[in-house]
Amino acid sequence: MAEYIFVLGRTGDLCRWELVSVLARKKISYQTIFSSSDIFHLSTTTPLDLGVLMGILGGTVKIAEVFGKIENSNENSLIDKIISHFQETEERKIIFGLSGYQTVSFHVLKQWNKSVKEGLEELNLIARYLLPTEGTTLSSVVLKKQKAREILVVGEGENFVLAQTLAITDFEDWGKRDFGRPAVDPGHGMLPLKVARMMINLGGSEFHVPNSELSLLDPFCGVGTILQEAMFLGFKVLGSDQSREALEKTRKNLDFLKNNFKLQNPNDQLFQLEATQLTQKIPKESIDLIVTEPYLGPMEGETQNLKNIILGLEKLYLGCFREWLSLLTNDGKIVIALPSFKVGNQQIFVKKPIDICETLGYTLFAGPYPYSRPQARVIRNIYILKKHGSH
């Protein structure tokens, strides 16, 4: 039996459901031990390939393997357990750092680091520790640049769980695909790359075939963020947009991806079409997964016309759902971000298309999973819909 701790990004619910979806897709059997807004602790009967999982997940920051559990009233045993763990590696020089989750303060963390260092030096080992510059956790950037070994100390009830980080998000790779791509459109509230990845993974949980056999469509492709991440994962991608300029940017970004990353058999098609006219070009029952962020309405400005804005958005989304139904295979799903608007202390949802989805031929499978930047007026709410008749 092996135990692992997945450290989740700041949108905990979305990150957790992405992880659960990926584990289901890969047919990994597990038991949940502990779950919180930033931690998912599980056990498996067989070891996990952490590198592969980290390469798929968009919402997981770190993955660590558990090596101990200590009562939180026994700090001396905690220090001894960490020192003993480092001894097993037979390294003479150790750069390390402790990161605390749930109930661990910075002051306590600093003292524990110091005690571990002193214990290692008593064993004639050379030791140096790193402290978080913010909060109680070390960043992936620091861990990679310092080549440091990180120990997670996670408060779970009356125990501290100890785990060594074995995989961290490849921030350089993400940065290259995000900031290195040639075409962007920041004026239109671009979907973050990692959220696009999570949306794709949320939709793929029940397809137990290689991604290369699955077709993914984004009917509002913009500059191609979702298509880019889907192609990176091996999907056959199709994109459409009513804007020729947007499609030109998408083409540049997809070509950049093909030229700079080792993709196997990249396959893409782009169409200049309204999202409600896709059956003109795309064969019926040919799409396994639709993943998209449609037009969400004005991202800034007055809310006095909000009622009319919502009516217009509902009309657009209902038209899309009707059009897309015939495109989906019998196992097909839609993963879509729909908006809600902050008005004072209220949050007003655009949800009529979800409320009546059963009459349109869909079942609400999961959601909403909210995502927003701090102080944002418009909140993305991610829903997963299944076509009626899906297994």
Side-chain angles (χ1 to χ4, degrees), residues 4-64:
Y4 301 94
I5 289 178
F6 291 74
V7 179
L8 308 176
R10 66 182 183 86
T11 53
D13 283 345
L14 182 59
C15 300
R16 185 181 310 106
W17 278 106
E18 180 210 20
L19 172 58
V20 169
S21 296
V22 169
L23 293 174
R25 173 97 199 271
K26 296 185 74 64
K27 298 183 179 180
I28 294 173
S29 178
Y30 67 93
Q31 294 290 326
T32 302
I33 297 175
F34 177 82
S35 180
S36 69
S37 61
D38 55 358
I39 291 294
F40 195 86
H41 178 182
L42 58 83
S43 65
T44 62
T45 55
T46 57
L48 299 180
D49 190 329
L50 303 187
V52 168
L53 283 174
M54 186 58 82
I56 295 171
L57 294 164
T60 294
V61 180
K62 306 170 186 174
I63 310 176

Side-chain angles (χ1 to χ4, degrees), residues 217-221 238-242 270-284 286-287 290 292 319-320 323-327:
L217 167 67
D218 182 357
F220 294 87
C221 68
L238 298 88
S240 69
D241 203 286
Q242 63 181 358
L270 301 178
F271 308 96
Q272 186 178 0
L273 283 172
E274 300 253 353
T276 54
Q277 299 175 350
L278 299 182
T279 51
Q280 294 179 12
K281 294 284 188 180
I282 300 175
K284 293 183 178 181
S286 65
I287 302 298
I290 294 175
T292 194
C320 288
E323 176 78 1
W324 298 347
L325 185 67
S326 65
L327 298 178

Side-chain angles (χ1 to χ4, degrees), residues 138-294:
L138 294 164
S139 72
S140 298
V141 176
V142 168
L143 292 175
K144 184 169 183 178
K145 290 188 175 181
Q146 296 290 332
K147 298 181 180 179
R149 298 176 60 184
E150 180 188 40
I151 302 298
L152 308 187
V153 184
V154 183
E156 297 183 11
E158 297 180 352
N159 295 313
F160 283 124
V161 176
L162 305 178
Q164 180 171 336
T165 300
L166 298 180
I168 59 175
T169 186
D170 191 338
F171 55 88
E172 291 175 337
D173 196 68
W174 284 101
K176 184 177 180 180
R177 291 201 313 283
D178 192 355
F179 305 113
R181 53 184 167 171
V184 296
D185 191 5
H188 286 78
M190 288 172 57
L191 185 70
L193 216 64
K194 288 194 172 185
V195 177
R197 173 71 69 86
M198 285 190 274
M199 289 176 68
I200 295 163
N201 284 331
L202 284 171
S205 60
E206 295 184 348
F207 295 108
H208 298 299
V209 297
N211 286 348
S212 59
E213 297 180 16
L214 298 174
S215 56
L216 181 147
L217 167 67
D218 182 357
F220 294 87
C221 68
V223 300
T225 300
I226 288 173
L227 298 182
Q228 177 181 329
E229 289 306 293
M231 181 180 284
F232 189 82
L233 291 174
F235 285 88
K236 295 178 289 186
V237 301
L238 298 88
S240 69
D241 203 286
Q242 63 181 358
S243 166
R244 179 173 293 278
E245 180 184 0
L247 291 173
E248 290 171 353
K249 289 182 176 181
T250 294
R251 171 51 58 206
K252 288 180 181 179
N253 287 337
L254 294 184
D255 287 346
F256 162 79
L257 192 69
K258 294 175 187 177
N259 293 332
N260 289 274
F261 294 85
K262 296 178 180 178
L263 305 183
Q264 293 186 348
N265 303 317
N267 191 331
D268 67 87
Q269 298 181 64
L270 301 178
F271 308 96
Q272 186 178 0
L273 283 172
E274 300 253 353
T276 54
Q277 299 175 350
L278 299 182
T279 51
Q280 294 179 12
K281 294 284 188 180
I282 300 175
K284 293 183 178 181
E285 298 186 355
S286 65
I287 302 298
D288 297 296
L289 193 58
I290 294 175
V291 181
T292 194
E293 178 181 272

Side-chain angles (χ1 to χ4, degrees), residues 59-117:
T60 294
V61 180
K62 306 170 186 174
I63 310 176
E65 186 170 11
V66 174
F67 65 86
K69 192 174 294 184
I70 304 293
E71 290 185 5
N72 55 23
S73 59
N74 195 342
E75 292 189 12
N76 289 335
S77 293
L78 183 147
I79 301 301
D80 291 342
K81 187 70 174 178
I82 295 173
I83 292 171
S84 176
H85 179 71
F86 282 144
Q87 273 186 283
E88 293 174 4
T89 65
E90 298 183 354
E91 295 179 11
R92 302 304 302 168
K93 182 176 181 181
I94 299 172
I95 302 173
F96 73 94
L98 309 185
S99 286
Y101 291 88
Q102 301 301 114
T103 59
V104 182
S105 70
F106 178 82
H107 174 75
V108 169
L109 204 68
K110 183 177 180 179
Q111 184 57 51
W112 287 349
N113 272 288
K114 183 178 178 182
S115 297
V116 171
K117 179 179 186 294

